[in-house]
Amino acid sequence: MVNSMSRVGDAFWRAVAYCLHPRVIFLSLLPLVLMAGLAFALGYFFWEQAVDGVRATLGNWRLVESLLGWLDHMGAGGLRSVLAPLMVLALALPVIVVLSLLLVALLMTPSLVRLVAQRRFAQLERKQGGSWWRSLGWSLWHVSLALLALLVSMPFWLIPPLVLIVPPLIWGWLGYKVFSFDALAEHASVAERRQLMRQHRLPLMTLGLVTGYLGAAPAAIWAFGVMALALAPFLIIASIWLYTLVFAFSTLWFTHYALAALQEMRELRAGKRAAEPELPTVEELLQPAPAPLIPPL
């Protein structure tokens, strides 16, 4: 356990250092450009319809309408006009996070894993335990489960302590599943990957939880309230870039930890194999014993 946690710290500082590598910085620009372009295209074509739909839905809720009427009476009627746009931004943010994660997994993760392997684990055998389409299917499946969990847990977000616990836990679980698979896909066999994810579940879940909180941190830039609407184009670009960097750092952290654990597991296995006495083969057991030598008279 102590060895695993020390490896977590070692992998953390290595991941921080690798984030300053020019290749990592360059790779982070491609998901940013794609996500920013997609976000602005969707906003251009669907923003008005989305705001009108949310405003109509809120108008049909008697409780919300009563609350807005009370705010009008208290002199805060301006909130009525900005509530629907803020709701659209709040609903779009998890989608931006998930799409950023998928883009990092598809466009950055293979290059980041190869970078770590070339610089630190050049002698580690590649057993190709997970192809790119398996990685894509694995990511899509667990992203779907995470989105479902977020949707189901949304009512609990209204309870102040839980909003700081539930979403990061879901993101942490998602990161543990996706980043662990991608970090080991090229180098570990299927059996090795399953064994490592089982034996190192607690450290990997710790990495996932920490990166889950790191993934929630960029949402703090939306704490401008009403001003977020005016700054939305800039905040969207900033949040996408921050999410890309957080996910790139998470990939590097998981990769350093997972490949080090894989190398150690193979070394231990090779040491045990070398220490075991060599057993005779079946052919040697079935070979007839040589006739005894008869001394000459």
Side-chain angles (χ1 to χ4, degrees), residues 1 8 82 104 128 264:
M1 180 63 182
V8 168
V82 299
V104 169
Q128 306 294 337
E264 181 179 327

Side-chain angles (χ1 to χ4, degrees), residues 27-88:
L27 288 172
S28 68
L29 297 179
L30 182 56
L32 171 63
V33 171
L34 292 178
M35 271 302 304
L38 178 62
F40 282 107
L42 292 176
Y44 179 81
F45 289 106
F46 301 106
W47 174 260
E48 294 295 336
Q49 296 92 319
V51 171
D52 292 340
V54 171
R55 185 175 289 121
T57 302
L58 293 177
N60 294 330
W61 289 359
R62 184 173 302 177
L63 179 61
V64 175
E65 191 62 30
S66 301
L67 178 61
L68 291 176
W70 177 77
L71 291 174
D72 291 339
H73 179 71
M74 297 297 294
L79 182 61
R80 180 187 292 271
S81 61
V82 299
L83 181 59
L86 288 176
M87 291 280 295
V88 172

